[in-house]
Amino acid sequence: AAIFHRWPVRCIQEGGERPIPMSDDRLQPMTMEHTMRFPRPLLAILIASAGCDSPTPTGPGIPTGEDPTLLSTVSDIGKVADRAASAPLRVEIEVRRGGPPWIAREVEVEDDRDREEEIESRIAAADASAGTVELVFGGLVIDVAGARRFRVEGVGDVTRDAFFARVESALAAGRRPGVELSRPLPATPQSPDDPGFSAVDVELDGDADVGELEVLIDERHLTVGAAGAGVIRVFGVDIVVDPALGTETRERSEDGDDAIEVEGLVSSVDPGSGRVDLVDGRTFFVVSETRFETDDDDDTLSSLEQVADALSAGHWVEVDAEVVASDDGALIAVEVEFEIEDDADEDDLPGATEVESLVVSADPGAGTFSLANGWTLAIETSTRIDDDGDLRSLAEVADALANGLLVEAEALVVGNGAGGFRLVEVEFELEDGDDGVPGAIEFEGRLATVDVAAGTFKLYDGRTWLVTDATTWESDGDLFSLAAAASAIANGVPVEMEGDAVEDASAPGGLRVVSLKIETDD
């Protein structure tokens, strides 16, 4: 996308050529000229925006008289069965909630160069001693005893025991945690009546749907009925495919193969050009062949116009897209799902970091503020200042600091691709010495590391805190020593630290803990 904007493009016309002017004054095209190949949808957009003559388009970016570069084609279960009769196919099946009977929302024939099979569902029950989880979808019992890797979204790798501890805790609280299970693609399709699935990679994912599968099938798995309806049987479970019930059956074209997943929060969209910008700086394009994923949730959006309206109304919009790269590096969406989020946190924005730190200076003119952990962050047009905070502008922050008040920033940041950070959201709070400790700094954050011998711990925001014999331990915590906290994080259990501290120049990080509560996030 950067190449797309920074290199000059030329209209090739009968009788000569002329440069296409760049409309964005902030971009400075290079002086040397380059020959570039754009995918037809994007080339048509460029030509139209530059004022070059082009045929009347029949859709966004598709000139009349030219065959569109289709990313996927509409198919039906009969055509899928015909193909499966000659060679196995890897298909992605998305299942509607509420089964049985299980009804497919979508069936798509994939490129089997992705050498994995995957099941995504919700966990209904778990047996740690047997190493199994029972899924909501089909009541499948999945063997995870031999899994090589257990992960938790937003946390990372955990031990098997920590994985089952989190699952059992969620089930006891009445929740059904989402899970993604994968294994290598088998050499031949598994029998349609065989319910077995031994996962090698297991990840807890709060956004997992009730049923989504990527599986290798052949003609044994397909039963074709009338009017494009039929049944796909996998792992002993029947999945109804019926256009009358809303099932879409598609076959990804060669141009749609090798798609990669892009997730993040949307900062802006341009419905006219199909451009989608994310807060972490990435950009991709929606074209006429892009398929919008929607479900029964009112928060999903079915057009870029709806996304633009949601952003204008002040909502966060999260996107999950599969994109392919053109020869020029521009990313084009094969399929995309936009969903309104009530709030933004690190789970909604892969790669994001939540940081809490004291503000040491603020420059309203430059739109920046500096934190005690050494970071300097800039408030951009897309940055949201949380109205729930005590201070709602950098000017108010600067005034508070000038009056000797302590100000803490709770910020959500993403990498900007240049080794720094870009600010997504921030809340400014006044620190006023709660719990009767004069000048105390209230803190709360995820534990990153512990040095038991030195009596210190470090939070993910980079701050280091000193615990002494005078530190008071809150009785309603879960752990009551730094050694216990170190053991917990070593076993993959997230740990939250909360308390009050005072500035102390003799402390390694300049902060000495007065009172402390340690909780495990299970």
Side-chain angles (χ1 to χ4, degrees):
I3 294 174
F4 172 89
H5 280 286
R6 293 184 183 276
W7 288 4
V9 183
R10 305 185 73 84
C11 292
I12 309 299
Q13 297 179 324
E14 185 176 356
E17 61 181 32
R18 61 185 175 83
I20 293 177
M22 294 296 185
S23 60
D24 192 336
D25 295 334
R26 295 170 299 175
L27 302 175
Q28 300 297 323
M30 298 170 63
T31 55
M32 64 170 57
E33 295 181 7
H34 299 266
T35 300
M36 299 185 63
R37 290 181 59 248
F38 287 90
R40 258 177 302 215
L42 297 186
L43 182 59
I45 293 168
L46 275 177
I47 292 172
S49 64
C52 298
D53 295 333
S54 64
T56 302
T58 57
I62 305 299
T64 301
E66 295 192 27
D67 294 329
T69 303
L70 295 177
L71 302 174
S72 60
T73 56
V74 177
S75 186
D76 59 53
I77 192 170
K79 294 177 181 178
V80 175
D82 290 342
R83 280 199 56 188
S86 59
L89 303 173
R90 192 172 69 88
V91 297
E92 179 178 344
I93 307 169
E94 294 185 15
V95 180
R96 294 188 183 278
R97 302 185 183 100
W102 300 102
I103 300 171
R105 175 187 298 119
E106 173 188 300
V107 177
E108 182 172 68
V109 179
E110 299 276 338
D111 177 4
D112 65 4
R113 281 176 288 182
D114 184 352
R115 308 300 297 175
E116 282 190 339
E117 285 190 327
E118 183 176 295
I119 300 177
E120 176 183 304
S121 186
R122 294 273 165 177
I123 298 176
D127 187 336
S129 60
T132 60
V133 292
E134 181 182 336
L135 304 183
V136 171
F137 170 71
L140 293 178
V141 176
I142 306 297
D143 177 16
V144 300
R148 295 194 297 263
R149 188 179 188 187
F150 292 89
R151 290 179 290 168
V152 176
E153 184 186 35
V155 175
D157 289 355
V158 298
T159 65
R160 172 181 157 175
D161 289 344
F163 167 82
F164 275 103
R166 294 180 73 97
V167 171
E168 290 169 351
S169 176
L171 293 172
R175 302 191 302 272
R176 291 183 168 181
V179 67
E180 294 182 5
L181 309 127
S182 62
R183 69 180 184 184
L185 197 72
T188 58
Q190 184 169 307
S191 166
D193 296 314
D194 182 353
F197 190 97
S198 296
V200 299
D201 195 303
V202 182
E203 180 177 12
L204 287 181
D205 182 355
D207 295 327
D209 210 337
V210 168
E212 185 172 323
L213 305 92
E214 295 184 29
V215 61
L216 193 66
I217 66 169
D218 56 26
E219 72 276 8
R220 298 172 300 162
H221 298 78
L222 296 158
T223 302
V224 180
V231 173
I232 301 177
R233 185 171 178 82
V234 289
F235 305 117
V237 180
D238 287 335
I239 302 173
V240 176
V241 177
D242 188 348
L245 298 176
T247 304
E248 292 185 2
T249 305
R250 293 181 176 269
E251 185 168 347
R252 184 168 294 181
S253 73
E254 183 178 349
D255 288 327
D257 293 341
D258 298 324
I260 58 174
E261 188 174 23
V262 170
E263 293 181 88
L265 291 175
V266 178
S267 63
S268 65
V269 297
D270 181 355
S273 67
R275 178 174 174 136
V276 178
D277 292 308
L278 306 187
V279 296
D280 61 7
R282 291 178 294 175
T283 294
F284 65 86
F285 289 84
V286 170
V287 296
S288 59
E289 296 84 20
T290 302
R291 181 155 38 86
F292 278 77
E293 292 285 338
T294 58
D295 55 29
D296 301 329
D297 191 338
D298 292 337
D299 289 337
T300 56
L301 307 171
S302 58
S303 70
L304 289 189
E305 288 77 11
Q306 290 184 7
V307 175
D309 290 343
L311 293 173
S312 297
H315 296 293
W316 288 114
V317 177
E318 183 180 23
V319 64
D320 186 350
E322 288 192 27
V323 302
V324 292
S326 70
D327 293 340
D328 322 303
L331 299 180
I332 305 173
V334 178
E335 62 184 34
V336 64
E337 180 178 12
F338 293 100
E339 186 171 5
I340 293 176
E341 291 289 335
D342 293 333
D343 199 359
D345 58 32
E346 56 188 325
D347 292 332
D348 299 323
L349 188 56
T353 300
E354 289 184 337
V355 57
E356 295 182 29
S357 186
L358 288 177
V359 180
V360 296
S361 66
D363 185 339
T368 61
F369 60 96
S370 297
L371 303 178
N373 66 3
W375 292 3
T376 296
L377 299 174
I379 293 181
E380 304 177 29
T381 303
S382 60
T383 302
R384 176 180 296 180
I385 299 180
D386 197 327
D387 289 342
D388 292 336
D390 297 321
L391 308 172
R392 302 183 182 182
S393 70
L394 273 187
E396 293 183 13
V397 173
D399 288 343
L401 294 174
N403 288 312
L405 300 177
L406 293 174
V407 179
E408 184 177 55
E410 298 181 10
L412 181 68
V413 299
V414 294
N416 64 5
F421 293 97
R422 188 176 182 187
L423 184 61
V424 178
E425 182 178 36
V426 63
E427 180 178 346
F428 295 110
E429 295 280 357
L430 291 173
E431 295 296 331
D432 54 7
D434 289 344
D435 296 333
V437 182
I441 303 164
E442 186 179 0
F443 66 89
E444 182 177 359
R446 179 70 62 86
L447 178 63
T449 60
V450 179
D451 186 336
V452 177
T456 61
F457 63 88
K458 183 176 288 188
L459 302 181
Y460 272 102
D461 65 5
R463 289 183 292 180
T464 298
W465 307 80
L466 174 66
V467 175
T468 68
D469 292 339
T471 299
T472 300
W473 295 80
E474 299 294 337
S475 60
D476 56 346
D478 297 320
L479 305 174
F480 299 95
S481 71
L482 291 185
S487 177
I489 61 173
N491 287 305
V493 178
V495 175
E496 295 287 335
M497 312 292 275
E498 179 182 347
D500 294 284
V502 293
E503 293 181 329
D504 186 339
S506 65
L511 295 165
R512 174 169 49 85
V513 178
V514 177
S515 63
L516 179 63
K517 179 168 72 172
I518 306 178
E519 294 184 303
T520 55
D521 184 7
D522 54 4

